[in-house]
Amino acid sequence: SEVCSSDLGQNRCDEIKITIKALNEIRILASYDDEFIIGYKEAFYDEVSATLCVVMEFAGGGDILKKIQTHSKSRTRFP
């Protein structure tokens, strides 16, 4: 279904579509509840910088890409 009417203008329509996609992604993040997926905490919009901020759990051990690269270089396996 069409999200925008033609009288809004293409730029505004594109902004609305991007906003809807971002909100859908936030809903998906918020729905995950798994010990192996970084947890979603909250989201807010900063009007000063016009930025959508998503707060997630802290990954103290680093990200998975870094772990893969480290194990790959040292030719070791994950525990």
Side-chain angles (χ1 to χ4, degrees), residues 3-66:
V3 179
C4 302
S5 64
S6 58
D7 60 328
L8 283 177
Q10 189 60 44
N11 287 343
R12 184 65 184 132
C13 262
D14 290 343
E15 288 175 15
I16 291 170
K17 288 176 185 177
I18 289 169
T19 301
I20 289 170
K21 285 181 181 182
L23 290 173
N24 285 335
E25 287 193 35
I26 289 169
R27 283 188 199 101
I28 291 168
L29 282 173
S31 72
Y32 288 139
D33 184 21
D34 187 289
E35 65 177 307
F36 298 109
I37 298 175
I38 298 295
Y40 164 86
K41 295 298 184 183
E42 68 176 304
F44 59 92
Y45 183 75
D46 179 50
E47 292 187 24
V48 175
S49 64
T51 304
L52 175 63
C53 303
V54 179
V55 181
M56 306 290 287
E57 283 182 320
F58 176 70
D63 62 69
I64 191 70
L65 177 60
K66 195 168 281 185

